[in-house]
Amino acid sequence: MPYLLLFSVFVIATCGLIYELISGALASYLLGDSITQFSTVIGVYLFSMGIGSFLSKYVRGNLVFVFIQVELLVGLVGGCSAAILFTAFEHVRYFRVLLYLLVTITGTLVGLEIPLLMRILKDRFEFKDLVSQVFTFDYVGALLASLLFPLVLVPHLGMVRTGFFFGILNAGVALWVLVLLGREVVWARLLRSSAILILILLVFGFVYSDKIMSFAETASYQDQVIYSKSSRYQRIVITRAPGDLRLFLNGNLQFSSRDEYRYHEALVHVGLAALPSPRKVLVLGGGDGLAVREILKYPSVESVTLVDLDSSMTDLFRNHDSLTSLNGNSLKDPKVRVLNEDAFVWLRDQKDTYDFIAVDFPDPSNYSIGKLYSNSFYRVLKEALAPQGILVIQSTSPYVAKKSFWCVENTLKSTGLKTVPYHAWVPSFGEWGFVIGMRGDFRPPERFPAGLRFVNADTVKNLLYFPDDMIARIPDVNKLNNQVLVRYFEHEWSEYIH
Amino acid sequence: MSGPNTSIEPEGEPAPHPRRSFLKSAALWTLGAALPGALTLRYFTNRRPKPVPGRILGASAKTGHLLREGRFPAPSKVETTDTVIIGGGISGLSAGWWLERNHQTSYRILELEEEAGGNSRSGRNQISAYPWGAHYLPIPGPEARYVRTLLEEVGVIRGYSSKGLPVYDEFHLCADPGERLFLQGSWQEGLVPQTGAGSRDREEYREFFSLMDRFRKERGSDGKRHFAIPLELGSADAKYRALDRITMKAFLEERNWHSNYLHWYVNYCCRDDYGATYDRVSAWAGIHYFAARAGIAENAEPQHLLTWPEGNGWLVSQLRKKVEPRIRTRALVHSVRNEGGKVLADHFNPDTGETTRIQAKHAIFAAPRFVANRIVPELASRGTPASVGYSPWMVANVSLSSLPGGRGAPLSWDNVSYSSPALGYVVATHQNLNLHPKKTVITYYHPLSHTDPVSARKEAHQRTHTEWCEMIIADLSKTHSGIAEVIENIDVWVWGHAMAIPEPGFITGSDRKAMAKPVGKIHFAHSDMSGIPIFEEAQYRGVMAAKSVLRELGIAQREDS
């Protein structure tokens, strides 16, 4: 029997190290910077084990009873830790607190285990044998864990399921010890039922871990994910690599901080700088505040109304430090009014007119967004445009999706506005297109706000020029009742990707 | 209607949201820690489906059936008016509308139900308005001038182009994508089966549709189209009368068309339009569905449709606005007869238990013929004309907490399953301009055409809410596994007599002709006099009856558009 208890040391040691590895790996997986993450997680974990060992001397009375309880708690907390960390990751501000809290609890409990077990076994071995045996099993278990974790467990079970699996082993040890030493234990029945309960819960977690993983899709991003959240409308993910911050909505790149200035300067300045003294500006979409940042470079602008459906987006870009430094805190500017509304419905119901309107919606990849590229929408948009005003629409890539681009242009033209198509090279996107709409004739601007890095009087000439490979004659108008654009878009992008 | 078989961005099944189901599991862990394990175990092993909230609604069959017993108190009040209109469905409302257009205000519309609208009634909940019956109007063709007049009045037609074509307000046109069909495990665009269609199928499609196209264009010796809406304005030419002697199924077989897909499609269309299978529907009527629709519009295709969240309930509300003060609801008319040069319409109010008599110069009888046979004694003495068969329907409005997706073509306005005995469902929020409606209401249509109307009707009235829900969920689950998890409510409406079935011989027969003849001062107006149960026919009959009344009143009529 003593040898069976020693074997449990082996299991315990394996489990303990696995929890440590899970926390370290998850932290570096989710937060990036694996050296820091691993180093701090291991440090905190070992230190907590020290706390546990220290506390063990205060444990008196029925050691076996306490040991089994500790085992069960380790199984529960350690087993669920990966699942908890994955699901709690969205609340990024508190994530580290939670991470180190879990590491501390698990570490402390694991730290309690070995001293307690040694005290339980102290009368059954000679001291030198006891120390030698316990640590032998402990270190062998550690080796096994460190080999199993990267080679077998993570690839085959995944981290969440691995966590539950070792939680089950821990709880199993508790149950086993209970069977072996049942007579020495008070309240054996209570312990047994809680052990069974915890086992059931862990097995349940093990079986359903796919569901837990299915919304922690961090693996599909190239860079480190620093933020991810499912808002009511979309999945928002922000990734970071050295010198580059990227925003993805539903897996589609929205900007890269390296070159977004090219996109936003092109979106805003070609049209806005052509107006003598723009006052009222409307931005539809663009909850990242980057277009607003460009718009605020015009001192004549008195008000900017930003309409973005998703309050999670605008809140994020109003409050998150690295993002507000990117958009220059534009969403907190007193001139800026942020409305979280459905653009079509909002625009149809409002009566104001604007000197400049920037339409920065996601690409027309489904029928629902396709409505925001329809002639009916553009008619409503035209109503909101001041007589001398200019509007601009992001219109996907005229290189990849030629027909889509010219379909947008044609649809806007069908409302009676004059159109001015142009395009810009944005390295992370490729060749990107925009269409200006206005009632009068467009005169390319000569003067721009200070400090632009991409747009100037010379580049505008280039932006307005379309080589042959970006021209298509499209007679179709995208309508609510005949969404040709969505079909073009789907067709052209799927051809390009495959 | 047939679109290319492309598939766009497959959406997930409406499986329970992973986050939510995880949270549910997480909650269960906590629960498990607090409660005895046995209870937790029992939860998993004994998970019965929860009863779905909702209720059965329906035309007041019970009140209507009082007619059979026929005992009503003698009138305690007598009112007089110029015209009494019996029935507040599309025909009755349209008759009232036409009288209003001609500045006649001395009329009353008597409606049995709590609300006018007939088969075009609608409902509303927190998510959306939704139809209880008719849910669209095809772009009117050249003959349907009164439909256009109405659409101009209510702003759906915004004007006419330089070519003289009506310009529609595009918010009322059915948004793309219109239709999808679940076939062989995934959704395809359009309702004509494409997935797995062989060359024989395609050949027969081509032949069928080109023949229908020919029928659509062909004109009789009087220069009118053979198949027109309203049917009355079609050619008097007898050329295709023979088609009314055979069923639609026999017609396909005579042409040597045997494609299962084509037969399915044509049968589907008959069930959809007439509530009866194609082996019961006259070939003439079956063809009418395809050949008569020839919408003319500057900014829409001929086959495009007008629709609203509440379906034709929107048209009802537009019509109702015009005649509202003259509608009397909860009025069970139990006798309409000519007496001393007047028409007497006695109606019973089930709430007060009183009968009121309206003494009118004229009556427009705008309720279905099976009701007329019972309450117009002169009709009964004339010998009942052809017993028109009426198909029973079940319509359910199902509230969902997330949009149904599926593999293949994305959620459309009309979503049909190839293997379902029902007709599929229409999405009430389809016309919404919101980018991301989270919840929706789907209207599920099921013509009870599996057996003869009488037994189907009886069976339908006996079913409980739970039984209907089980049927509906079982059927929807075949195309949307896990839909049960997102169903918030199911309301069921059983239409005992939803629509007249144009069986062979009815449309060209003498009975139908006889139905149109007035009885003294009682004029008849109902789509079952056309044999084609659609808005345009109902409206046409209502307007025509109003015109006769106006003529008899000696009033010069406004004949614009």
Side-chain angles (χ1 to χ4, degrees):
Chain A
M1 188 179 70
Y3 285 95
L4 288 175
L5 278 174
L6 280 176
F7 181 68
S8 77
V9 171
F10 170 73
V11 177
I12 289 166
T14 316
C15 294
L17 196 71
I18 291 284
Y19 300 142
E20 183 184 335
L21 289 170
I22 286 176
S23 303
L26 254 175
S28 43
Y29 196 38
L30 298 176
L31 300 172
D33 191 2
S34 56
I35 295 175
T36 310
Q37 306 309 340
F38 258 105
S39 151
T40 51
V41 165
I42 291 174
V44 171
Y45 191 82
L46 288 177
F47 175 70
S48 308
M49 281 177 69
I51 297 176
S53 307
F54 173 76
L55 290 176
S56 70
K57 73 174 176 185
Y58 296 106
V59 176
R60 299 206 176 87
N62 197 319
L63 291 178
V64 177
F65 177 69
V66 178
F67 175 74
I68 291 170
Q69 278 183 317
V70 168
E71 266 317 281
L72 286 176
L73 276 177
V74 175
L76 188 65
V77 177
C80 299
S81 59
I84 293 170
L85 288 174
F86 254 121
T87 47
F89 178 58
E90 284 180 7
H91 311 284
V92 70
R93 280 182 233 168
Y94 312 108
F95 181 74
R96 281 168 213 264
V97 178
L98 184 71
L99 170 72
Y100 293 113
L101 185 72
L102 280 174
V103 170
T104 309
I105 293 173
T106 321
T108 309
L109 291 169
V110 172
L112 270 166
E113 282 176 328
I114 301 291
L116 284 181
L117 200 66
M118 285 174 76
R119 281 164 65 190
I120 292 169
L121 293 172
K122 73 175 190 314
D123 299 331
R124 306 172 205 230
F125 290 95
E126 267 202 50
F127 185 66
K128 66 174 167 61
D129 290 331
L130 179 63
V131 174
S132 145
Q133 302 276 22
V134 166
F135 284 104
T136 305
F137 278 103
D138 189 14
Y139 293 131
V140 171
L143 176 69
L144 185 71
S146 60
L147 291 177
L148 277 179
F149 186 72
L151 299 178
V152 181
L153 298 172
V154 174
H156 293 286
L157 286 182
M159 275 197 263
V160 173
R161 192 161 274 174
T162 302
F164 284 119
F165 180 71
F166 283 89
I168 291 168
L169 288 186
N170 262 127
V173 167
L175 201 61
W176 184 30
V177 173
L178 197 59
V179 172
L180 290 180
L181 304 176
R183 264 165 295 153
E184 299 176 29
V185 181
V186 290
W187 293 351
R189 200 182 287 174
L190 177 76
L191 280 182
R192 196 175 309 129
S193 36
S194 40
I196 289 170
L197 200 64
I198 287 171
L199 264 176
I200 289 171
L201 295 177
L202 291 168
V203 169
F204 183 75
F206 183 80
V207 173
Y208 284 94
S209 38
D210 281 345
K211 295 206 171 168
I212 299 163
M213 282 304 288
S214 66
F215 54 84
E217 79 295 66
T218 36
S220 54
Y221 295 93
Q222 191 184 331
D223 300 327
Q224 302 300 341
V225 173
I226 60 160
Y227 178 91
S228 71
K229 176 174 180 169
S230 289
S231 74
R232 272 186 69 198
Y233 307 105
Q234 55 200 344
R235 181 98 182 132
I236 303 169
V237 170
I238 295 171
T239 68
R240 178 159 39 204
D244 188 12
L245 203 64
R246 289 176 176 230
L247 169 71
F248 294 83
L249 296 180
N250 295 331
N252 299 315
L253 178 64
Q254 303 299 302
F255 69 73
S256 150
S257 64
R258 282 180 205 267
D259 60 16
E260 58 78 18
Y261 70 90
R262 278 188 159 232
Y263 176 89
H264 291 102
E265 286 186 10
L267 174 74
V268 170
H269 298 297
V270 179
L272 192 50
L275 290 169
S277 174
R279 283 163 200 229
K280 283 175 73 186
V281 177
L282 173 66
V283 179
L284 301 175
D288 53 26
L290 297 171
V292 177
R293 175 193 68 199
E294 297 302 317
I295 291 163
L296 291 173
K297 291 178 180 168
Y298 293 77
S300 68
V301 169
E302 289 161 5
S303 75
V304 182
T305 306
L306 176 97
V307 181
D308 191 296
L309 181 62
D310 196 348
S311 58
S312 307
M313 268 291 282
T314 49
D315 288 349
L316 181 64
F317 280 85
R318 223 183 332 223
N319 298 320
H320 205 290
D321 286 348
S322 43
L323 302 174
T324 49
S325 66
L326 191 62
N327 66 21
N329 231 333
S330 61
L331 297 184
K332 280 190 175 157
D333 192 286
K335 289 178 185 173
V336 178
R337 180 170 66 132
V338 175
L339 301 174
N340 297 117
E341 303 271 355
D342 231 305
F344 206 145
V345 180
W346 178 83
L347 197 61
R348 202 168 67 152
D349 295 344
Q350 69 94 43
K351 297 277 169 275
D352 284 351
T353 58
Y354 299 86
D355 301 316
F356 181 70
I357 305 177
V359 182
D360 194 10
F361 291 135
D363 286 341
S365 58
N366 65 51
Y367 290 106
S368 168
I369 302 176
K371 292 182 180 182
L372 298 174
Y373 286 81
S374 64
N375 60 341
S376 299
F377 180 75
Y378 291 156
R379 268 190 222 126
V380 176
L381 202 59
K382 187 181 165 189
E383 295 288 302
L385 187 67
Q388 307 297 323
I390 290 181
L391 61 84
V392 61
I393 296 165
Q394 92 80 2
S395 323
T396 191
S397 168
Y399 175 74
V400 175
K402 231 187 289 191
K403 290 178 180 168
S404 307
F405 176 82
W406 291 101
C407 179
V408 173
E409 192 262 351
N410 198 44
T411 305
L412 186 61
K413 202 163 22 187
S414 77
T415 66
L417 289 176
K418 291 183 179 165
T419 57
V420 182
Y422 63 97
H423 62 97
W425 170 253
V426 184
S428 61
F429 281 14
E431 199 63 66
W432 215 257
F434 307 88
V435 183
I436 279 178
M438 58 197 296
R439 294 189 179 86
D441 290 315
F442 180 70
R443 228 175 280 143
E446 308 268 323
R447 298 178 56 195
F448 293 89
L452 302 192
R453 293 152 76 190
F454 175 59
V455 170
N456 62 34
D458 290 328
T459 37
V460 168
K461 280 177 211 145
N462 288 329
L463 303 190
L464 292 169
Y465 173 76
F466 278 82
D468 284 348
D469 67 348
M470 289 199 283
I471 292 179
R473 308 239 170 272
I474 295 300
D476 301 309
V477 170
N478 187 47
K479 300 177 188 175
L480 290 175
N481 56 317
N482 186 11
Q483 293 206 28
V484 282
L485 176 63
V486 176
R487 292 164 210 268
Y488 279 141
F489 183 86
E490 165 71 16
H491 185 69
E492 290 178 314
W493 277 93
S494 63
E495 266 193 350
Y496 183 74
I497 289 161
H498 295 308
Chain B
M1 276 189 213
S2 65
N5 183 19
T6 55
S7 77
I8 293 182
E9 201 174 334
E11 291 165 43
E13 279 294 309
H17 193 276
R19 159 159 294 281
R20 197 176 314 138
S21 67
F22 168 69
L23 286 181
K24 219 190 275 169
S25 334
L28 281 172
W29 295 347
T30 332
L31 188 83
L35 294 174
L39 198 72
T40 323
L41 264 182
R42 216 178 127 198
Y43 182 85
F44 292 106
T45 50
N46 197 13
R47 220 171 142 182
R48 286 225 187 88
K50 282 180 298 195
V52 181
R55 61 205 176 104
I56 298 186
L57 301 98
S60 308
K62 271 200 193 122
T63 320
H65 287 170
L66 288 176
L67 286 177
R68 283 196 197 152
E69 292 153 29
R71 281 199 205 116
F72 294 98
S76 53
K77 260 191 288 186
V78 180
E79 296 171 7
T80 54
T81 187
D82 279 358
T83 311
V84 60
I85 298 172
I86 296 108
I90 298 300
S91 290
L93 292 173
S94 299
W97 167 65
W98 198 259
L99 293 178
E100 287 283 342
R101 269 178 67 85
N102 287 281
H103 315 293
Q104 296 307 300
T105 49
S106 177
Y107 69 94
R108 270 219 175 276
I109 298 176
L110 301 178
E111 166 60 44
L112 165 70
E113 303 291 332
E114 271 152 26
E115 215 178 90
N119 282 2
S120 296
R121 289 215 12 214
S122 58
R124 176 182 290 276
N125 63 16
Q126 282 143 332
I127 303 170
S128 175
Y130 45 76
W132 273 124
H135 59 278
Y136 71 93
L137 179 68
I139 301 268
E143 295 89 357
R145 52 182 290 203
Y146 300 118
V147 178
R148 266 197 302 280
T149 305
L150 175 66
L151 295 181
E152 284 164 28
E153 251 188 60
V154 300
V156 173
I157 293 180
R158 289 151 40 119
Y160 286 81
S161 69
S162 51
K163 284 175 265 174
L165 299 174
V167 178
Y168 283 86
D169 181 335
E170 291 176 9
F171 292 118
H172 300 287
L173 293 170
C174 180
D176 200 16
E179 295 160 332
R180 63 171 182 169
L181 173 67
F182 189 79
L183 175 57
Q184 298 191 9
S186 75
W187 292 95
Q188 60 149 70
E189 265 184 51
L191 295 188
V192 179
Q194 305 290 343
T195 313
S199 56
R200 184 77 224 138
D201 297 311
R202 291 182 196 285
E203 181 59 32
E204 290 186 14
Y205 289 163
R206 226 177 348 260
E207 289 172 15
F208 176 79
F209 286 111
S210 71
L211 181 65
M212 293 303 129
D213 202 42
R214 213 185 84 206
F215 283 147
R216 186 178 304 120
K217 291 174 184 147
E218 197 177 328
R219 286 166 192 275
S221 49
D222 50 6
K224 295 176 179 172
R225 296 199 301 145
H226 286 287
F227 297 93
I229 300 176
L231 166 147
E232 212 61 21
L233 301 182
S235 173
D237 223 316
K239 189 170 175 190
Y240 292 118
R241 293 260 169 94
L243 288 172
D244 192 40
R245 285 197 286 274
I246 58 168
T247 66
M248 191 62 182
K249 185 178 188 211
F251 168 75
L252 295 186
E253 280 160 357
E254 270 183 15
R255 294 264 159 181
N256 218 8
W257 288 328
H258 298 288
S259 152
N260 285 339
Y261 274 179
L262 180 66
H263 278 248
W264 176 86
Y265 177 68
V266 172
N267 187 31
Y268 177 84
C269 293
C270 286
R271 293 193 296 132
D272 191 27
D273 249 33
Y274 306 119
T277 45
Y278 73 149
D279 52 1
R280 285 196 56 201
V281 169
S282 136
W284 196 94
I287 291 165
H288 186 270
Y289 173 90
F290 298 100
R293 290 186 188 183
I296 44 171
E298 173 65 28
N299 55 343
E301 302 297 315
Q303 73 278 14
H304 280 175
L305 311 169
L306 297 159
T307 191
W308 302 270
E310 66 270 52
N312 290 4
W314 188 84
L315 292 168
V316 167
S317 64
Q318 301 301 312
L319 281 170
R320 209 161 48 191
K321 268 187 223 160
K322 299 172 190 291
V323 299
E324 190 80 69
R326 328 239 180 263
I327 301 177
R328 178 176 296 168
T329 54
R330 302 279 287 159
L332 169 62
V333 181
H334 52 83
S335 163
V336 183
R337 60 184 194 276
N338 291 285
E339 204 177 283
K342 301 273 182 191
V343 181
L344 306 180
D346 294 350
H347 56 282
F348 174 74
N349 180 326
D351 303 321
T352 62
E354 282 180 17
T355 294
T356 306
R357 168 166 294 174
I358 291 188
Q359 198 180 72
K361 293 179 188 161
H362 302 274
I364 294 175
F365 197 100
R369 183 53 60 128
F370 74 92
V371 179
N373 289 344
R374 212 175 274 281
I375 65 177
V376 181
E378 287 131 294
L379 272 187
S381 63
R382 225 199 242 174
T384 321
S387 52
V388 187
Y390 288 84
S391 57
W393 283 57
M394 185 277 289
V395 179
N397 273 296
V398 183
S399 303
L400 301 176
S401 60
S402 71
L403 301 187
R407 211 154 65 83
L411 185 64
S412 302
W413 171 66
D414 190 10
N415 305 268
V416 176
S417 165
Y418 184 82
S419 59
S420 166
L423 294 172
Y425 62 87
V426 167
V427 179
T429 53
H430 183 75
Q431 296 293 95
N432 280 14
L433 298 170
N434 296 26
L435 200 49
H436 293 276
K438 279 282 142 180
K439 296 185 167 194
T440 192
V441 177
I442 60 173
T443 310
Y444 174 90
Y445 290 90
H446 192 168
L448 305 168
S449 54
H450 57 288
T451 170
D452 70 286
V454 178
S455 24
R457 196 171 298 133
K458 203 173 155 200
E459 192 182 279
H461 282 306
Q462 281 168 351
R463 245 183 222 125
T464 63
H465 180 259
T466 313
E467 287 166 345
W468 282 121
C469 289
E470 277 168 14
M471 276 177 71
I472 295 162
I473 293 171
D475 187 37
L476 287 175
S477 298
K478 287 180 197 151
T479 44
H480 302 289
S481 66
I483 196 162
E485 302 276 328
V486 299
I487 292 178
E488 293 187 339
N489 188 80
I490 299 182
D491 283 341
V492 173
W493 189 300
V494 177
W495 295 97
H497 298 79
M499 47 175 70
I501 305 170
E503 285 170 303
F506 179 70
I507 285 172
T508 54
S510 55
D511 287 340
R512 194 176 70 84
K513 220 170 268 165
M515 278 167 79
K517 282 193 195 124
V519 174
K521 302 273 180 162
I522 307 170
H523 302 269
F524 292 93
H526 197 272
S527 66
D528 58 15
M529 292 155 62
S530 300
I532 308 283
I534 54 179
F535 179 91
E536 301 91 313
E537 296 290 349
Q539 189 221 28
Y540 178 76
R541 296 289 168 179
V543 170
M544 285 300 125
K547 285 184 150 198
S548 310
V549 166
L550 289 169
R551 236 184 340 264
E552 288 175 18
L553 289 169
I555 288 159
Q557 296 188 41
R558 208 178 134 189
E559 276 290 347
D560 40 11
S561 81

